[in-house]
């Protein structure tokens, strides 16, 4: 069985500041990890994925995430927040079986 | 870029009524999924479908739920007798391959409100 915990249901940053969204996972098998973003009234869009090729993964819109096995973490970062980054972000794990298990989501707010 | 499309975007129904949520997956994809998100809660897996049969389902997917691929393009989720607690956003997803590193492509969702 697998699970995902996202610390912080709401994160607020100023425009231009570092974005850090936390994700910890548990999985009984080597995990595949994903970050999805959901803009208002839209579906879930893939930001990036970890598939064991490299521990630092770059995604769209300047986001990246680092897989740390020792910490069972896959935190999402962006060096400089933009107003358009305001959205809900979901971390997800695919372990045994072919289904995604999602975290609770983190709503990112960007202040001008 | 190809998209997963879902209709309708909003559906309001009365308790006890049947609803069918429709999805058109990406055309060359082979694996199909339904997820739901109750307001304020996690996105939850309902069911996966491959080769015209259910491959996995969650505890949520009880006898009131069914899925069908009636033709070569549509993938539907039917709720036989809706309950208030079925109110949620329902997402359809598809992927071209069944291997673990294939991301799922999601539609924009159908918001179901049961009154």
């Amino acid at each position: 069985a697998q699970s995902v915990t996202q610390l912080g249901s709401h994160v607020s940053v100023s425009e231009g500041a570092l974005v850090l969204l936390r994700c910890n996972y548990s999985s009984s098998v080597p995990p595949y990890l994903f970050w999805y973003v959901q803009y208002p009234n839209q579906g879930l869009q893939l930001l990036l994925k970890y598939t064991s090729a490299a521990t630092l993964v770059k995604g769209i819109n300047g986001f990246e995430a680092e897989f740390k096995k020792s910490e069972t973490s896959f935190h999402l970062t962006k060096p400089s927040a933009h107003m358009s980054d305001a959205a809900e972000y979901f971390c997800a794990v695919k372990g045994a079986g072919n289904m995604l298990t999602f975290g609770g989501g983190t709503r990112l707010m960007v202040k001008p | 870029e190809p998209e997963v499309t879902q209709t309708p975007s909003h559906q309001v129904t009365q308790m006890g009524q049947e609803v069918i949520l429709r999805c058109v997956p990406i055309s060359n994809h082979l694996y199909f999924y339904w997820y739901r998100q109750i307001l304020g809660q996690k996105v939850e897996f309902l069911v996966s479908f491959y080769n015209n049969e259910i491959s996995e389902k969650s505890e949520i997917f009880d006898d009131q739920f069914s899925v069908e691929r009636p033709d070569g393009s549509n993938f539907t989720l039917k709720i036989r007798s809706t309950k208030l607690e079925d109110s949620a956003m329902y997402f359809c997803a598809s992927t071209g391959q069944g291997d673990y590193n294939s991301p799922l492509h999601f539609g924009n969702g159908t918001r179901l409100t049961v009154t």
Side-chain angles (χ1 to χ4, degrees), chain A residues 3-5 29-30 32 34 36 38 41-46 49-51 88 90 94-105, chain B residues 10 31 33 35 37 40-45 48 56-58 89 91 95 97-109 111:
Chain A
S3 66
V4 178
T5 302
V29 298
Y32 289 97
F34 305 82
Y36 283 85
Q38 185 181 28
N41 301 314
Q42 293 189 26
L44 297 161
Q45 180 183 357
L46 180 70
K49 65 178 183 179
Y50 166 74
T51 59
E88 185 138 24
F90 293 93
K94 196 189 279 191
N98 199 24
M99 63 185 193
L100 279 178
T101 299
F102 284 88
Chain B
H10 292 87
Y31 296 81
Y33 307 80
Y35 284 76
Q37 184 181 29
Q41 297 186 26
K42 287 186 178 186
V43 178
E44 302 171 292
F45 169 76
S48 60
E56 291 176 274
K57 61 181 181 178
S58 71
M89 181 74 93
F91 292 106
T95 184
Q97 300 170 353
D99 53 318
Y100 287 174
N101 67 356
S102 297
L104 273 60
H105 297 262
F106 287 84
N108 284 349
R111 182 169 298 284

Side-chain angles (χ1 to χ4, degrees), chain A residues 8 16 28 46 58:
Chain A
S28 56
L46 180 70
K58 294 189 184 301

Side-chain angles (χ1 to χ4, degrees), chain B residues 34-36 44-47 56-58 60-61 77 90:
Chain B
W34 284 101
Y35 284 76
R36 78 171 185 190
E44 302 171 292
F45 169 76
L46 292 178
V47 66
E56 291 176 274
K57 61 181 181 178
S58 71
I60 303 167
F61 194 88
L77 174 70
Y90 288 80

Side-chain angles (χ1 to χ4, degrees), chain B residues 30-32 48-56 75 95-96 98:
Chain B
L30 301 174
Y31 296 81
F32 313 115
S48 60
F49 190 86
Y50 170 71
N51 200 26
N52 283 322
E53 61 183 25
I54 291 173
S55 45
E56 291 176 274
F75 179 53
T95 184

Side-chain angles (χ1 to χ4, degrees), chain A residues 52-71:
Chain A
S52 78
T55 56
L56 183 62
V57 181
K58 294 189 184 301
I60 61 171
N61 302 339
F63 283 92
E64 61 183 37
E66 186 173 9
F67 173 69
K68 291 187 177 180
K69 184 179 178 181
S70 60
E71 297 177 9

